[in-house]
Amino acid sequence: MSLALNNTRASQVAVIDLNSGNLLSLETAIKTAGFSLTTVKKPNDDLLTTCDVLVMPGQGRFAYVMQQINDTGWREFLQEWVRNGKRLVGICVGMQVLFEGSEEDPETNGLGLFKGRCQKLSHPKTPMVGWAKLDSYKLTMKDQYAYFVNSYAISECHFGTSKVNYGSSFCAAVQRGNLYGFQFHPEKSGSFGRELIKHVCQ
Amino acid sequence: MYVNNEKPDINGESDLCARIIPCLDVAYGRVVKGTNFKELVDMGDPVQLAQMYEQQGADELVFLDIKASVDGQQSALDMVYQVATHLSIPFAVGGGIKALEDVHRFFHAGADKVTLNTMAVEQPELINQIATQYGSQSIVVAVDVNQEVDGSLAIYTHGGSKLAPVDYHSWIEEIVDRGAGEILLTAMHKDGTGSGFDTDLLAQFGAGFPVQVIASGGAKGPQDFLAAVHAGADAVLAAGLFHRGEYTVGEVKAYLINNNIKIRNTEC
């Protein structure tokens, strides 16, 4: 009985606050999905034992988000976190920094957890703002509509799990094991987004 | 760009959908309908109405606080927080924004975007400041344009009551140069007439225009939304026909889908 309870314990989710934009919608979505939530500005080793899922949203420039990550000690911590097979979810620029770099700030090194670099969208109307239908083989995303706000994106990735066209094709989502990235905003993507948050946090 | 299976235009393939955006006027934290500048009819609770439109399939919402300048902003900020914690689609807020500090308060309360109208003309530097600090995607500049008796186009501010000392074409260019992410283009000469959007005006903003254009003013039925998208609008905003219950957002979207427009389908 206690084992069954253990198995159904709600995941402990922590949102990384990189001081880049409002976390209210994301926090609301995670709480509404039934998870226990904390918001963390700096890494601490307790997280490795107390927390199941780290969610890293990011808004603004690639270099700014990376600087926040480096200055607060997240770079080493996240690498350790991923080495331990723990779950990490990057959203928007939070997904982009999982890669090696970006055309937006070519001098800045990303976390390098995925191979590849971000490129500027080839469509002249940027930022891309609005909804697009995902081309995905994953049942959680197949033919769903997601809300995008971005000017840069990963055009090719071996671990891409969904893609969309905007001028040319780019990766809307990536996944390798417990490492997830979403270029769109699940917290702004209606009921689909809420379900997706539930799926990746549980 | 929003027609299914058409040949890619000069910009290449795009999966982006045309957006349908209900607009809600608010005052003192309630949704209102103004019959004239003095009489306001209470239409209900912003959160309930926002959720209703989200369920109908709205892609985004715009809240315009028509009394913000009178009442200060606290009621608007409380409303934004309530909406942000109950809605899972994006929304923009406008009305009474005078300085970067006001913008910060709205974002902090949970708004995804702000819209500027009068202050964009009076203090255009604010557009640059918002774009620099929060990114172009966070700022929508509302342009109220009127076709004057001589046929020329003029820009108005202060809720359409004051002629602005700017040239229409150079003002549109300036907004884009200063970093606006979207333009909310209201044709005043069409607003409330139910004679359809100004498609000639929208046709000036085609595939080559560098930011998205939201068409506003004149919607009577779903065919007007279709005409606006065909003319070049990236998104279409309407108030009256949704609030009066003449059409649901879902009905408008179904009509557009049936007419081969890329629309976020929430019916399945």
Side-chain angles (χ1 to χ4, degrees):
Chain A
M1 194 63 194
S2 65
L3 191 66
L5 279 174
N6 245 345
N7 283 341
T8 55
R9 178 184 71 92
S11 296
Q12 305 287 313
V13 181
V15 171
I16 301 177
D17 181 1
L18 294 173
N19 199 23
S20 77
N22 196 297
L23 304 177
L24 185 62
S25 297
L26 183 61
E27 290 169 341
T28 303
I30 293 169
K31 276 190 257 180
T32 309
F35 301 109
S36 117
L37 174 79
T38 51
T39 302
V40 283
K41 282 183 180 279
K42 288 184 174 155
N44 63 76
D45 288 339
D46 289 349
L47 283 171
L48 282 161
T49 49
T50 59
C51 175
D52 305 302
V53 185
L54 273 178
V55 181
M56 179 169 63
Q59 274 175 37
R61 288 192 75 101
F62 188 89
Y64 176 78
V65 173
M66 269 321 299
Q67 191 197 331
Q68 298 290 311
I69 288 173
N70 291 331
D71 289 355
T72 45
W74 281 109
R75 178 186 276 276
E76 296 72 24
F77 184 89
L78 290 175
Q79 265 142 4
E80 176 71 12
W81 181 267
V82 172
R83 258 199 306 277
N84 280 286
K86 303 277 280 182
R87 189 167 297 183
L88 174 63
V89 183
I91 295 172
C92 200
V93 183
M95 161 178 161
Q96 297 177 3
V97 296
L98 301 178
F99 286 77
E100 294 168 304
S102 173
E103 202 185 335
E104 185 174 24
D105 294 294
E107 307 294 307
T108 303
N109 288 323
L111 291 168
L113 296 166
F114 285 108
K115 291 248 176 276
R117 300 175 68 82
C118 277
Q119 267 111 39
K120 191 158 182 22
L121 296 175
S122 60
H123 199 285
K125 279 184 201 260
T126 54
M128 175 185 186
V129 178
W131 299 80
K133 193 185 203 172
L134 301 178
D135 176 2
S136 178
Y137 61 91
K138 291 258 179 194
L139 282 178
T140 47
M141 289 186 278
K142 192 180 188 314
D143 292 339
Q144 296 286 350
Y145 292 86
Y147 185 77
F148 289 84
V149 180
N150 56 299
S151 298
Y152 293 81
I154 297 291
S155 46
E156 278 288 336
C157 176
H158 184 60
F159 297 98
T161 50
S162 66
K163 56 184 184 178
V164 300
N165 288 306
Y166 193 64
S168 54
S169 172
F170 70 84
C171 290
V174 290
Q175 185 196 348
R176 190 184 70 226
N178 259 339
L179 185 57
Y180 290 80
F182 299 109
Q183 181 58 67
F184 56 88
H185 288 267
E187 76 282 12
K188 287 287 162 190
S189 294
S191 52
F192 151 67
R194 293 293 171 98
E195 285 300 315
L196 190 64
I197 286 171
K198 207 184 253 181
H199 177 78
V200 297
C201 288
Q202 73 195 3
Chain B
M1 158 172 180
Y2 298 102
V3 179
N4 280 312
N5 306 321
E6 69 182 349
K7 283 191 202 135
D9 62 24
I10 53 166
N11 301 329
E13 299 270 357
S14 171
D15 292 329
L16 196 67
C17 299
R19 286 170 290 158
I20 304 301
I21 308 174
C23 177
L24 299 100
D25 285 345
V26 297
Y28 314 113
R30 300 283 293 177
V31 176
V32 294
K33 186 175 75 172
T35 47
N36 59 41
F37 282 106
K38 281 173 191 161
E39 274 178 70
L40 291 175
V41 180
D42 190 298
M43 301 284 284
D45 174 54
V47 173
Q48 278 177 8
L49 288 166
Q51 286 180 321
M52 181 190 78
Y53 285 125
E54 177 179 347
Q55 275 156 21
Q56 287 184 5
D59 297 309
E60 194 168 325
L61 297 175
V62 172
F63 293 90
L64 290 179
D65 192 332
I66 59 173
K67 286 281 180 181
S69 48
V70 182
D71 137 79
Q73 280 185 341
Q74 197 51 49
S75 63
L77 290 171
D78 292 344
M79 182 205 76
V80 168
Y81 178 83
Q82 287 303 322
V83 170
T85 50
H86 288 87
L87 209 64
S88 52
I89 56 171
F91 68 100
V93 186
I97 291 167
K98 294 201 163 46
L100 197 58
E101 214 167 82
D102 302 325
V103 174
H104 175 74
R105 284 196 203 101
F106 277 124
F107 285 141
H108 188 71
D112 297 292
K113 307 173 186 182
V114 292
T115 80
L116 289 187
N117 180 331
T118 301
M119 284 317 283
V121 174
E122 291 191 345
Q123 213 181 295
E125 184 61 26
L126 196 52
I127 303 171
N128 305 62
Q129 289 169 354
I130 298 170
T132 304
Q133 187 153 354
Y134 298 98
S136 285
Q137 82 289 340
S138 64
I139 173 159
V140 181
V141 175
V143 175
D144 290 350
V145 55
N146 188 50
Q147 189 158 37
E148 307 287 72
V149 278
D150 65 357
S152 67
L153 296 169
I155 304 289
Y156 283 74
T157 56
H158 296 83
S161 64
K162 202 169 157 187
L163 181 65
V166 291
D167 171 70
Y168 166 74
H169 287 284
S170 48
W171 176 234
I172 298 282
E173 269 175 40
E174 186 177 338
I175 292 168
V176 174
D177 289 345
R178 286 182 180 275
E182 294 169 76
I183 291 177
L184 168 53
L185 188 70
T186 301
M188 289 169 58
H189 48 284
K190 290 283 190 172
D191 209 15
T193 63
S195 59
F197 297 97
D198 188 337
T199 49
D200 291 340
L201 188 65
L202 290 170
Q204 299 172 9
F205 305 88
F209 193 69
V211 302
Q212 294 202 31
V213 173
I214 306 166
S216 157
K220 187 173 187 228
Q223 66 283 0
D224 298 322
F225 289 75
L226 181 64
V229 175
H230 276 311
D234 298 281
V236 187
L237 176 140
L241 93 168
F242 292 137
H243 301 328
R244 290 190 297 268
E246 291 164 10
Y247 294 94
T248 64
V249 177
E251 285 166 347
V252 170
K253 291 181 98 173
Y255 180 83
L256 294 171
I257 289 167
N258 286 336
N259 281 278
N260 220 19
I261 301 297
K262 283 177 204 148
I263 289 287
R264 166 183 167 245
N265 190 348
T266 50
E267 294 299 305
C268 55

